[in-house]
Structure formats: C-alpha cells, structure tokens
Amino acid sequence: MSDQTKYLLDESRIPKAWYNIQADLPVPAPPVLHPGTMQPVGPQDLAPLFPMTIIAQEVTTEREVEIPKEVRDIYRLWRPAPLYRAHRLEKALGTPAKIFYKYEGVSPAGSHKPNTAVPQAFYNAAEGVKRLTTETGAGQWGTSLSFAGNVFGLEVLVFQVRVSYDQKPYRRAVMETYGARCLPSPSTETEFGRSVLAQRPDHPGSLGIAISEAVELAAQRDDTKYALGSVLNHVLMHQTIIGLESMEQLHMANTEPDVVVGCTGGGSNFAGIAFPFIGQGLRGGKKARIVAVEPAACPSLTRGKYAYDFGDTGHMTPLTKMHTLGSTFTPPGFHAGGLRYHGMAPLVSHLRNLGLIEAVAYTQGECFSAGVLFARAEGIVPAPEANHAVKGAIEEALRCKREGRSETILFNLCGHGHFDMTAYQKYFSGELKDEAYDEKELAMALSGLPSVPAEYA
Amino acid sequence: MSDQTKYLLDESRIPKAWYNIQADLPVPAPPVLHPGTMQPVGPQDLAPLFPMTIIAQEVTTEREVEIPKEVRDIYRLWRPAPLYRAHRLEKALGTPAKIFYKYEGVSPAGSHKPNTAVPQAFYNAAEGVKRLTTETGAGQWGTSLSFAGNVFGLEVLVFQVRVSYDQKPYRRAVMETYGARCLPSPSTETEFGRSVLAQRPDHPGSLGIAISEAVELAAQRDDTKYALGSVLNHVLMHQTIIGLESMEQLHMANTEPDVVVGCTGGGSNFAGIAFPFIGQGLRGGKKARIVAVEPAACPSLTRGKYAYDFGDTGHMTPLTKMHTLGSTFTPPGFHAGGLRYHGMAPLVSHLRNLGLIEAVAYTQGECFSAGVLFARAEGIVPAPEANHAVKGAIEEALRCKREGRSETILFNLCGHGHFDMTAYQKYFSGELKDEAYDEKELAMALSGLPSVPAEYA
C-alpha cells in the first residue's frame, strides 16, 4: 500500500457540462432511420417517446452540454466518484504498469446508471411528463430510473424480463422501495406482450421484448414517455461525467492514461469512461488506446455485423447503424445481465468502424476469475459486468509486464457485486458454465437484418 | 435540495487516534470475571484468544489510542465516510429539525464492521498469528473479517449460524470471494458443535453457539486467535472513528448535535457514533441526548437485566456485567440479523446504568416503514439494522416538529441494504410479521443467569 490510493474531488468540481463526442467526430455518425419510411428521423418522429430537450441532445454537435443545477444537486449524493490507484492489484500481478480504476458503485443504485437516469427524469419532469416507462433485465437500470423518477416526482413503470422478475425478486424490491411499479415482461398490459404470450404463455422474456412493451405504452399516452438506459447518444453523453472526473483525478496523480478499458453491453459505461479521452486524442491531445471488453457469449463488437437494425424485438424502434447480432438473437443466460443485448450503441459502433477503438471478448469464467483476484487485492467485489473491464485491465497489465512497460491503465469499475453474489456462489461451486451462443442462431439472426435504401446500406 | 448535502473530509483528516471512553467514565466499568474462578480476569486469561495489543486495548484508560499507519492505509479505501444533511427527509417530515446522517455503507463490506476488522487483523498478523476464527449471523461481520484477514495474509474461518448459511448462500459467497472458509454452525469440527448436533441433528444454530465453536478452536491452537465483531471494549473503541469524523464534519456544517441516535445489537455501531459525543459531555463540553434504538423482539437494553452473564451459549467466554436477556434466550427470526444478540456491550450497559444514555425499542414493521420513507427521500436503501436508527431519528424529528424546535439530530446509517432486499420484498408483500419474543422463555432465560460472588453482584 503506497502513500496514496484514492483520488477525491471536492463537490464543487463536479463537471458543469457533459462532453459530446459528436462535436469531434472526423466523420458524422450515420443517420437514424424511421422504421416505416426508411428515411432519416426528425425530432417530430421521436416526440411521442422523448421530451424535446433529450431529442435535441440526441443530435446536437455542441461540444459541451450544460448539466442543469438540479441534476448536479442530485449527483452530489454520490459524486464526484472516487478514482483509485490499484497498488495492491499491481503488486499481485507483479506488473510495472500503473492501474487506476474509477468506481461507480458508490451511487445509491450501486452502478453508473443513475448518471443518466437523473437527467432523463429531470428533463421529463421539466416538460410536464407524469410517467416514465422503461425495460430492465437484471435490474440495474430499472433500479436507477426508479430512484431518479422518485426524486423528481414521476411515476415509473418498469417492464422486467420475466426470468429476472421471477429469479431475482430482491431486484424488484429495490425498485418498489423507490416507489416504482414493476411488471414481468411479456405482460398482458400491452398489445405486443399479449401477442408474445399468445404464442408462448411461458415465454421467459427478453430485453428486446421488454423494450417493445415500454415503447408501446409510452407512444399511446401524452403524459407518458420512455427512458432508455444505454445505446442512445444522449445516454452515452450523460455518462461522460465518468471520464471527465477521471481526467481531473488522473491529473491530481500526475499521469495520463496510455490505455482506457471499459466493458460493453449497450455501450454506456464504456462511452462514459472512454469518450472524453477519445475526444482529447481527436483534438490533437494525447491519444490513448481504447479497449472495449465484451462477453464471448454476446459479442456484438467482435462477431456482429455493422449494419442497420432495430433496437427491439417488436420492431417498433427506429433503425440505427450498429454492430449487431440481429434483433432476434438470444444470448445464453450468463450472469452479466447488463451485457446481454444484441446491439451496440451507434456511436461506439461508429468509432469502432473508424478504427478508433479496439474490442476483445472474454468468457464469463475468465471474468469471474479476474473479479475474485481483484476483490482479494482491492477489497471491492465487482458486479459481473464490471468483471469484464477488470479482466481487460489485467490483460493489459500483464502485457506491460511481458514488455517491461510502465504504462498507465485506466478502467471503469461500473458497479459493485453485492446484488449478484449468487453468481459468485455458482462460480465457486463450479456450477457456472461458459455457455456459447448458437452459431446457427447467430447466422439466422444476421440473415434477417432489415433492408435499408441503398444510400444508407 | 439545499446548497450542500454532503460533508467530505480529505483523507489526510482520517483520525490518527481512536477515542477511549474508559478515560472519561465517572465510575469505572465493573470487572470481567473468569468463568471458572469467578474472579477478575487478567491478561494471561485472555492470551489464548487475543493478541496482547488487543488485550491491552481492552483495559487501557488512555483517552487516545493511536491508529497504526497500516490500518489508516486500509481505512483509506473508503474513509473518511461521508456525512449527509438529510434535507429531503426533513422536507418529507415537515420538521424544523436539522437531520444529519453518517453513512458507513461505503465500505467494501457495505457496513461499519471493517472499522474494527481491519485493526484486529493487523494486530493479530503483527504478533505472528496465522489464522482467525469468528462467528457470523447474517454475515456482515464474517464478510468484514474475511476482507480484513485477506488484506493482512491471515486465514479466516467463519462459523455461520446454520439457518443463515442455508438461507443466504450469497453471504457465504462474499466471504469466499475474500478467500475465507465458511462452516455452518453447529458443525462437526468442534466438541461443542458435535455435542449440540448429538442432541438435535437439525439444529438451526445461534450466534451464541457459533461463538462457542469459534472460541473453542482458537483456544486449542497457538497460531489461531479469535476475533469478535462487537460487544468488547476494543471493538467499540475502534468504531469511534465514526463519531470522531462526524464531529469534524458537523463542525464544517457549523453545528453540534442535540441528539445522537444509533441502533444497538451488540452495541458497536452505536458506541462508534455516540461515545465521542458522550465523552465531550463528560469532559464539560456540550451534552447531547444519546438514544439507543433496539428491536422490540430482542430488547436487551429496555427489557433485559443488568447482570453478569456469559457471551455465548456454551459458557466458555468470561462473564461480563451487561444488559442481558439471558444466554439461552433465542429471539424470533426477524430480519435485522445484526441485532439478534442476547446481551449488550458492557460499556454501553454501564453508561445506560449511569443514566448517560436513553433506550427505546421499535418493531421491525415500524422500522421498515421508516427505512422506505428514508430511501424515497434520500436515495440510499438502509440495511434492516440501520432502519432502527432511521426510525429513532424520525421520531426525534417529529418530536421537534411538535415542539417547534430546530434541534440538530445526528444518526448513524451503519450499512446499506443491498444484501437484504428479500426482507424489503417481504415487507412489501405483507409477509413480514412483527414476531414477539416468548415472555415465558425470557423469564426462564433470566432466571438461569449465573451466580457471581457477592462483591460483584
């Protein structure tokens, strides 16, 4: 243990603006297409689902977007989040690398998700919305939106993937503690849910189905909007507070990262830590290597196709160009529920396509093994999702050891694992299997991608 | 939300010494008696169980006991812990009181327990001990000692009450993540455990039995010592870092508490927040009212007898004078597992006997209701134990409202509830019952208290 392990910022240094990478892109991201017309969507197409401020944030090319005072006041409950130097992990690995991690588990929800839930709830409340609908898989996003909705006096209705709803009732209890209503999806409250149940009454649900249900309800009612916890541009931008704070904290430690590592499901926590550093490189500053780590069982960036696809199973959402495994692809039931999504955020996909980020995939067994090593060295038990970033950072540190390089590695520890200890239990008991996805199913899902007009293909 | 909600101290202001209330007691606490001779124990009697530094800390009357640098280095992983002004809770209650809470859920174990686990592991390792044994009920203490033992390279063996071992396997998973070994108690690894199982093979276990097992193993081996998570003087002293930091943070907020509230099981988190303020009053400074909140189903301070009793069921521990429900008393199975102990810390009992603290008991239903109100206002979901302190603080705030007083209330939020959401789930579903203890069993347990020589009775 060296003389300094934790870098804290005073509350007065919570960033006053998010960073918008769209200002610095060498090539603009491909447009979002309307599922009916297959032409670029306009604000009016999105208005049934989102408040105008968020629609504007989705497309703005301003570099800095102000964080409202009301949002910073809530951020202050847990932000600025600490940045740690992982001295004990470095020692355990025998690496000359300097490993730093930003810890987002200090939020009331235990993950990075409230960083965007709070502004989304604020903007909706400010525009007179009364109710938010959303979907959740494992429960991190549903928990965070429930927390944020409660803060600003909004009703929150969460469609939770049925298998999680049944197997993880304690997750639902957190949402209910914050006053939200939680329904198992597929449900009988939407037309799409009923159509799924008619085909298969015991359907276990999926994130894609739950999104369709939440979108359907929001589209029907004027006082109800929809909130998404990842993928979209504004969500990724809200998360950049992670990287912006880290930048200041690394400055306190007199260093800059050579490598930035994050885990990727929809892409939001990865974008949060990485985009400010990518932007710095694009503007002529120091270029760090940027590494996205994804689960081998749901490898959109490493095995998916960069193509237009739907965000949901019911094909109600607009089409975005992204690395996708196909909207009908169902990943095996591994424990990092937050990484089980068929697509990748369009902005992350675009950056990958431009060669500005690297991507690598690991099995869950490898990631749990890394997480246990980390917990024993650093004390914090990571969420299964975060274990992917831990694994990625450890691999970089071991490369530094082989090459005799003293690089600075930064990674995002996006949440604690206290809600997920049953997964660790299965890891210790040997019950945890590295389930592979079905290659045939992937091929079929990819062959069913929607066709778009030639100028967008 | 007002302009400031969180009071942070810089790491350099982690206290350099714990506060020892034994220096300021108007009357010394009664002696600890040897279970064989019924005479005061000496250091040599405790040497099989504890390292010499800890034995010395148990009896010292020095006011300030230095916190070793190695311990502060580990404390820095999460300390100083934040102090919050509960603006939103105040608003929800409509009280003129100013409510502050110290939040100990930021530790890697999610509770205040590592504050003593870390120094205990450090002192044992420094004296060449190789292995620590301990007991745990719900798992907070076992988790914390597993974390701390791992930091200083000690093996940790945890006897977990069997009913918790079976019902909460995720708790065991945390201990195993930190490399500890966890056994269900009663076990076949000790003589006492075997004797209990011989009488009743399906015995659900109790904290008292688990203590007996852990003590038996430690007493048998030279390289093995025992660690206790509450009750003893040194444990309470280690926890005073909570109150010492709070004192500095309230100074930043330009206020002093009129009332200090903590929940009490064994007494350690209560002592941690309260003792520095009691000491200040004893030394002629401002006297705050000090309120201990206990569960109505295990009410040692409000319904127990102040008498000498054993700490364990097997009657292997020394006898201490304390508020006790009798060492054979088995409280009903309520959810605040950390508060299910038949006795109260001798120092807390002594202060209660001197009239320096007040005590009050609430049912678990009342406490969960308070916890949900708190979570909706402040965002943090409290542990079931901490809900008792929340309830106590809310009652004080409502009294201030009735009396039109703008008092300053400080309470300790000793842990987060993320491990305990099944309890909240039962609260919401109406399954949570306010089980009362059996009056006849209490009377019988109290009638079986050990006799001690007249001069100590």
Side-chain angles (χ1 to χ4, degrees):
Chain A
M1 189 73 42
S2 180
D3 53 340
Q4 170 68 290
T5 59
K6 188 169 79 200
Y7 297 87
L8 288 175
L9 293 174
D10 185 79
E11 286 190 349
S12 63
R13 290 169 74 189
I14 292 177
K16 297 202 168 44
W18 295 294
Y19 167 65
N20 177 23
I21 200 164
Q22 295 191 80
D24 293 317
L25 290 175
V27 183
V32 174
L33 302 182
H34 191 284
T37 65
M38 293 289 175
Q39 292 302 310
V41 295
Q44 71 290 351
D45 296 315
L46 299 172
L49 295 187
F50 302 106
M52 290 314 294
T53 317
I54 284 182
I55 294 171
Q57 288 187 353
E58 191 63 17
V59 295
T60 181
T61 52
E62 262 187 291
R63 182 171 291 123
E64 298 199 329
V65 173
E66 192 193 348
I67 306 177
K69 182 186 173 304
E70 294 85 345
V71 171
R72 278 188 287 123
D73 274 348
I74 303 301
Y75 276 173
R76 267 209 299 243
L77 287 173
W78 72 97
R79 304 209 72 87
L83 179 87
Y84 290 90
R85 168 86 184 264
H87 285 293
R88 295 173 53 91
L89 178 64
E90 292 168 15
K91 207 173 150 191
L93 297 171
T95 179
K98 291 187 281 289
I99 308 176
F100 291 85
Y101 59 97
K102 179 75 167 174
Y103 183 41
E104 291 290 320
V106 292
S107 83
S111 80
H112 67 292
K113 292 286 185 187
N115 293 335
T116 184
V118 172
Q120 288 195 52
F122 168 73
Y123 292 126
N124 275 286
E127 296 189 23
V129 173
K130 301 293 177 215
R131 187 180 304 101
L132 289 175
T133 66
T134 197
E135 71 292 329
T136 202
Q140 290 283 20
W141 170 244
T143 298
S144 301
L145 194 70
S146 302
F147 156 71
N150 173 66
V151 166
F152 293 107
L154 295 166
E155 281 178 45
V156 175
L157 178 61
V158 181
F159 289 91
Q160 184 173 21
V161 175
R162 182 182 290 271
V163 60
S164 297
Y165 182 92
D166 289 338
Q167 289 177 1
K168 300 186 172 181
Y170 51 92
R171 287 286 201 173
R172 193 187 344 145
V174 196
M175 297 183 243
E176 288 175 355
T177 298
Y178 291 129
R181 187 168 162 235
C182 192
L183 283 173
S185 165
S187 80
T188 56
E189 302 222 359
T190 67
E191 202 174 311
F192 185 68
R194 287 189 294 270
S195 76
V196 172
L197 288 171
Q199 288 195 332
R200 184 177 164 190
D202 66 341
H203 199 293
S206 74
L207 218 41
I209 293 169
I211 294 175
S212 296
E213 291 204 272
V215 165
E216 181 185 323
L217 266 201
Q220 280 167 359
R221 295 184 58 159
D222 275 353
D223 62 353
T224 304
K225 302 273 183 200
Y226 169 70
L228 189 64
S230 191
V231 176
L232 297 182
N233 301 349
H234 68 277
V235 178
L236 273 53
M237 184 181 74
H238 297 158
Q239 294 293 355
T240 58
I241 193 161
I242 301 171
L244 292 169
E245 285 181 5
S246 301
M247 216 170 237
E248 276 209 65
Q249 288 162 314
L250 286 174
H251 189 72
M252 289 165 71
N254 292 312
T255 187
E256 288 187 289
D258 298 292
V259 192
V260 179
V261 180
C263 64
T264 46
S268 78
N269 100 74
F270 169 77
I273 190 104
F275 280 11
F277 293 98
I278 298 175
Q280 177 182 280
L282 289 171
R283 293 192 306 278
K286 173 163 175 171
K287 277 186 170 57
R289 281 177 54 229
I290 309 287
V291 180
V293 185
E294 63 183 8
C298 192
S300 56
L301 275 174
T302 54
R303 298 291 314 278
K305 195 169 164 187
Y306 184 51
Y308 272 95
D309 199 4
F310 292 98
D312 69 332
T313 307
H315 293 184
M316 297 176 197
T317 67
L319 291 139
T320 54
K321 193 162 187 182
M322 59 183 175
H323 286 81
T324 178
L325 300 163
S327 66
T328 62
F329 176 80
T330 306
F334 58 93
H335 285 284
L339 308 182
R340 292 182 76 242
Y341 185 61
H342 70 274
M344 179 50 58
L347 279 174
V348 173
S349 296
H350 182 57
L351 291 164
R352 170 87 176 115
N353 192 50
L354 292 175
L356 293 168
I357 64 176
E358 305 169 29
V360 60
Y362 295 110
T363 64
Q364 73 174 338
E366 293 174 305
C367 295
F368 271 96
S369 171
V372 170
L373 175 64
F374 179 85
R376 291 187 184 168
E378 295 293 316
I380 298 169
V381 181
E385 291 83 358
N387 281 342
H388 290 74
V390 172
K391 172 67 179 170
I394 287 176
E395 287 302 315
E396 290 295 330
L398 292 175
R399 175 190 56 75
C400 287
K401 184 180 179 178
R402 287 191 303 272
E403 298 174 357
R405 285 168 184 271
S406 167
E407 295 183 8
T408 293
I409 300 167
L410 168 68
F411 76 95
N412 191 28
L413 192 70
C414 61
H416 70 59
H418 293 181
F419 288 119
D420 300 286
M421 294 314 300
T422 45
Y424 278 87
Q425 180 201 338
K426 286 185 179 151
Y427 171 72
F428 288 120
S429 69
E431 289 168 71
L432 191 118
K433 300 276 175 271
D434 284 330
E435 287 186 54
Y437 57 84
D438 184 327
E439 290 280 0
K440 269 191 205 156
E441 194 197 332
L442 175 58
M444 198 185 308
L446 287 174
S447 72
L449 290 177
S451 319
V452 295
E455 66 263 44
Y456 304 118
Chain B
M1 187 72 45
S2 179
D3 53 338
Q4 169 69 290
T5 59
K6 187 169 81 201
Y7 297 87
L8 288 175
L9 293 174
D10 185 81
E11 285 191 350
S12 63
R13 290 169 75 188
I14 292 178
K16 297 201 167 45
W18 295 294
Y19 167 66
N20 176 22
I21 200 164
Q22 295 191 79
D24 293 317
L25 290 176
V27 184
V32 174
L33 303 181
H34 190 284
T37 65
M38 292 291 174
Q39 292 301 311
V41 295
Q44 70 289 351
D45 296 315
L46 298 172
L49 295 187
F50 301 107
M52 290 315 294
T53 316
I54 283 182
I55 294 171
Q57 288 187 353
E58 192 62 16
V59 296
T60 182
T61 53
E62 262 188 291
R63 182 170 292 122
E64 297 199 331
V65 173
E66 191 193 348
I67 305 177
K69 181 186 173 304
E70 294 85 346
V71 171
R72 278 188 286 123
D73 274 348
I74 304 301
Y75 276 172
R76 268 210 296 244
L77 287 173
W78 72 97
R79 304 209 72 86
L83 179 87
Y84 290 90
R85 168 87 184 263
H87 286 292
R88 294 173 55 91
L89 179 63
E90 292 167 16
K91 207 173 152 192
L93 297 171
T95 179
K98 291 188 280 291
I99 308 175
F100 292 85
Y101 59 98
K102 179 75 168 174
Y103 183 43
E104 291 290 320
V106 291
S107 83
S111 78
H112 66 293
K113 294 284 185 187
N115 293 335
T116 184
V118 171
Q120 288 195 54
F122 168 72
Y123 292 126
N124 275 286
E127 295 189 23
V129 173
K130 302 292 178 214
R131 186 180 304 105
L132 289 175
T133 65
T134 198
E135 71 292 329
T136 202
Q140 290 283 19
W141 170 243
T143 298
S144 301
L145 194 70
S146 301
F147 156 71
N150 172 65
V151 165
F152 293 108
L154 295 166
E155 280 178 46
V156 175
L157 178 60
V158 181
F159 289 91
Q160 184 171 21
V161 175
R162 183 183 289 271
V163 60
S164 296
Y165 183 91
D166 290 338
Q167 288 178 1
K168 300 185 171 183
Y170 51 92
R171 287 284 202 175
R172 190 184 349 142
V174 197
M175 297 183 242
E176 289 175 354
T177 299
Y178 290 130
R181 188 170 161 233
C182 191
L183 283 173
S185 166
S187 80
T188 56
E189 303 223 355
T190 68
E191 204 174 309
F192 185 67
R194 287 188 294 270
S195 76
V196 172
L197 289 171
Q199 288 194 334
R200 183 178 166 190
D202 66 340
H203 199 294
S206 75
L207 217 41
I209 293 170
I211 294 176
S212 296
E213 292 204 90
V215 165
E216 181 185 323
L217 267 200
Q220 281 169 359
R221 295 186 58 160
D222 276 354
D223 63 352
T224 303
K225 303 273 184 202
Y226 169 70
L228 189 64
S230 191
V231 176
L232 298 182
N233 301 350
H234 67 276
V235 179
L236 274 52
M237 184 181 74
H238 297 158
Q239 293 294 355
T240 59
I241 194 160
I242 301 171
L244 292 168
E245 285 181 5
S246 301
M247 215 170 239
E248 276 209 64
Q249 288 163 313
L250 286 175
H251 189 73
M252 289 165 72
N254 292 313
T255 187
E256 287 187 291
D258 298 291
V259 193
V260 179
V261 180
C263 63
T264 47
S268 78
N269 100 74
F270 169 77
I273 190 105
F275 281 11
F277 293 97
I278 298 174
Q280 178 181 279
L282 289 170
R283 292 192 307 276
K286 171 161 177 171
K287 278 187 169 54
R289 282 178 53 229
I290 309 287
V291 181
V293 185
E294 63 183 9
C298 192
S300 57
L301 276 175
T302 54
R303 297 290 313 276
K305 195 170 164 187
Y306 184 52
Y308 273 95
D309 197 4
F310 292 99
D312 69 331
T313 307
H315 293 184
M316 296 176 198
T317 67
L319 290 139
T320 54
K321 194 161 186 183
M322 59 182 177
H323 287 81
T324 178
L325 301 163
S327 67
T328 62
F329 176 79
T330 306
F334 57 94
H335 285 284
L339 308 182
R340 293 182 75 241
Y341 186 61
H342 70 274
M344 180 49 58
L347 280 175
V348 173
S349 296
H350 182 57
L351 291 164
R352 170 88 176 116
N353 193 50
L354 293 174
L356 292 167
I357 63 177
E358 306 169 29
V360 60
Y362 295 109
T363 64
Q364 71 175 338
E366 293 174 305
C367 295
F368 271 97
S369 171
V372 170
L373 175 64
F374 179 85
R376 290 186 185 169
E378 295 293 316
I380 298 170
V381 181
E385 291 82 0
N387 281 342
H388 291 73
V390 171
K391 172 68 178 169
I394 288 176
E395 286 303 315
E396 291 294 332
L398 292 176
R399 175 189 57 74
C400 288
K401 184 179 180 178
R402 288 191 302 272
E403 297 174 358
R405 284 169 186 273
S406 166
E407 294 184 7
T408 293
I409 300 167
L410 169 67
F411 74 97
N412 191 26
L413 192 72
C414 61
H416 69 60
H418 294 181
F419 288 119
D420 301 285
M421 294 314 301
T422 45
Y424 279 86
Q425 180 200 338
K426 285 182 181 155
Y427 171 71
F428 288 120
S429 69
E431 289 168 72
L432 191 118
K433 299 277 175 271
D434 284 330
E435 287 186 52
Y437 58 84
D438 184 328
E439 289 281 0
K440 270 191 205 158
E441 195 197 333
L442 175 58
M444 197 185 306
L446 287 175
S447 71
L449 290 177
S451 321
V452 295
E455 66 263 43
Y456 305 120

